[in-house]
Amino acid sequence: MCTAISYLKGDHYFGRNLDMIQDYRQQITITPKNYVLRFRNGLNLFHHYAMIGMATVANGYPLYYEATNDAGLSMAGLHFPDNAVYFPRTACKDNIAPFELIPWVLGQCATVKEAKNLLLRLNIWMLPFSREFLLTPLHWIIADKECSIVVESTCEGVKLYDDPVGVLTNNPPFPYHMTNLANYRHLTPFDKHHRFCGVPIPAYSGAMGAIGLPGDYSSASRFIKAAYLRCNSKSDGPEEAHVRQFFHLLNAVAMPRGAVEMDDGLEVTLYSCCCNTDKGIYYYTTYENSRISAINMHHENLAAEGLITYPMRIFSEIFVQN
């Protein structure tokens, strides 16, 4: 399970929580413009947009969880079990395997509008990367500073949805989440007039305008909470203020160890990330290290031909002040 957010405060910020039971040796990965992106349908991109994000590098190929390109377009894949349906290779379509979709889009598109046009011919091909990395059921959010869309491949085929709230979690399919928002139209960060059947009722606490905001870890509840917090978020000042605020938003829907127990283990937020898509700076924290680390893609040689990777700074020490 995961939560992704697109956030505009001066610059555009995009990021996510990765909630999983185990990690897959993920690293911060920069794909330069001249790294050859080879797709299983036989097409190659020899020159493309550079991108930075978190990926597991397998056999020299970046399996991105999320990424941002140097044009400012971002994309993330989130778990979508029981609903994701992939298809056999189809004639007259762009047959792209799920693990290829992020580099396919970010390598060629600078905006959501361009991504929409590219995806009109998309067929998500039921082809796993390898025996070690099998097919993962996913859906995707794509965002620039103007708008966001969601991409889902279900039994009905590939669907593109406008995402006006700039948030994505997991099941059910995206139209349900938008319908479910209607149940929370009353939420507000302001205190309301407190009456019941016309009788004035004194408030016993502040912040009662948001009573009913979900606090559990289900994907439907995280969608509502993330959308509410993003909509009402306020951050002013330098870059650091916006970045810290973004991580506060993610922390509000993060999973502490022990809160969510699946059949095969405990699910936790392995890492949280935030990318300033205008500046190409990728920020992240891990479960064991809440200190924010940053990597600037423009400090690297983006005309290189090989992947550039950085290991995650997983652990931190507690500063003893006295």
Side-chain angles (χ1 to χ4, degrees), residues 259-313:
V260 179
E261 187 163 357
M262 309 295 284
D263 290 341
D264 47 353
L266 297 175
E267 192 158 279
V268 301
T269 300
L270 295 180
Y271 73 83
S272 302
C273 68
C274 164
C275 188
N276 181 320
T277 71
D278 295 291
K279 296 182 172 67
I281 305 173
Y282 184 90
Y283 303 91
Y284 72 94
T285 63
T286 70
Y287 191 85
E288 293 84 5
N289 184 1
S290 58
R291 181 176 182 177
I292 300 172
S293 300
I295 294 173
N296 190 326
M297 70 186 300
H298 296 291
H299 291 174
E300 305 295 335
N301 178 13
L302 296 185
E305 297 180 357
L307 297 177
I308 302 164
T309 61
Y310 285 88
M312 299 177 72
R313 300 177 69 247

Side-chain angles (χ1 to χ4, degrees), residues 29-31 35-37 51 54-65 99-100 102-103 129 307 309:
T29 303
I30 298 171
T31 300
Y35 170 88
V36 181
L37 289 170
M51 62 196 79
M54 194 71 74
T56 295
V57 178
N59 299 327
Y61 192 90
L63 303 173
Y64 276 112
Y65 301 93
F99 64 87
E100 300 174 318
I102 290 179
F129 179 79
L307 297 177
T309 61

Side-chain angles (χ1 to χ4, degrees), residues 116 128 141 151 159 199 224 230 238 248 254 263 266 274 276 289 306:
K116 281 185 173 181
I141 179 172
V151 182
K159 301 288 186 180
V199 178
I224 297 298
R230 172 193 177 274
H248 282 302
D263 290 341
L266 297 175
C274 164
N276 181 320
N289 184 1

Side-chain angles (χ1 to χ4, degrees), residues 119-310:
L119 295 172
L120 290 177
R121 291 168 42 85
L122 176 67
N123 175 58
I124 301 188
W125 189 9
M126 50 188 294
L127 182 71
F129 179 79
S130 66
R131 291 183 179 179
E132 180 183 4
F133 297 103
L134 301 176
L135 283 171
T136 301
L138 298 171
H139 60 175
W140 295 265
I141 179 172
I142 305 173
D144 59 22
K145 66 191 312 174
E146 301 296 331
C147 60
S148 305
I149 62 171
V150 170
V151 182
E152 294 183 343
S153 181
T154 66
C155 59
E156 299 177 350
V158 174
K159 301 288 186 180
L160 305 182
Y161 302 102
D162 291 330
D163 181 0
V165 296
V167 168
L168 185 62
T169 56
N170 312 103
N171 292 337
F174 185 72
Y176 169 87
H177 291 294
M178 293 303 298
T179 300
N180 190 38
L181 281 172
N183 294 317
Y184 300 91
R185 294 170 58 192
H186 62 283
L187 297 181
T188 171
F190 306 103
D191 284 329
K192 296 181 177 181
H193 295 293
H194 303 283
R195 290 180 175 273
F196 180 81
C197 296
V199 178
I201 304 295
Y204 57 82
S205 170
M208 295 183 71
I211 285 181
L213 180 67
D216 64 88
Y217 298 100
S218 68
S219 56
S221 293
R222 282 183 287 108
F223 187 96
I224 297 298
K225 189 172 186 180
Y228 171 83
L229 294 174
R230 172 193 177 274
C231 174
N232 293 292
S233 176
K234 300 187 187 307
S235 59
D236 298 303
E239 166 81 354
E240 291 79 6
H242 302 309
V243 171
R244 291 192 185 99
Q245 179 70 359
F246 195 98
F247 279 100
H248 282 302
L249 299 181
L250 291 176
N251 288 339
V253 290
M255 295 183 182
R257 183 170 284 116
V260 179
E261 187 163 357
M262 309 295 284
D263 290 341
D264 47 353
L266 297 175
E267 192 158 279
V268 301
T269 300
L270 295 180
Y271 73 83
S272 302
C273 68
C274 164
C275 188
N276 181 320
T277 71
D278 295 291
K279 296 182 172 67
I281 305 173
Y282 184 90
Y283 303 91
Y284 72 94
T285 63
T286 70
Y287 191 85
E288 293 84 5
N289 184 1
S290 58
R291 181 176 182 177
I292 300 172
S293 300
I295 294 173
N296 190 326
M297 70 186 300
H298 296 291
H299 291 174
E300 305 295 335
N301 178 13
L302 296 185
E305 297 180 357
L307 297 177
I308 302 164
T309 61
Y310 285 88

Side-chain angles (χ1 to χ4, degrees), residues 49 69 71 73 104-111 114-116 118:
Y49 291 111
N69 69 18
L73 187 66
W104 172 257
V105 172
L106 296 188
Q108 301 179 82
C109 301
T111 64
E114 291 181 8
K116 281 185 173 181
L118 179 69

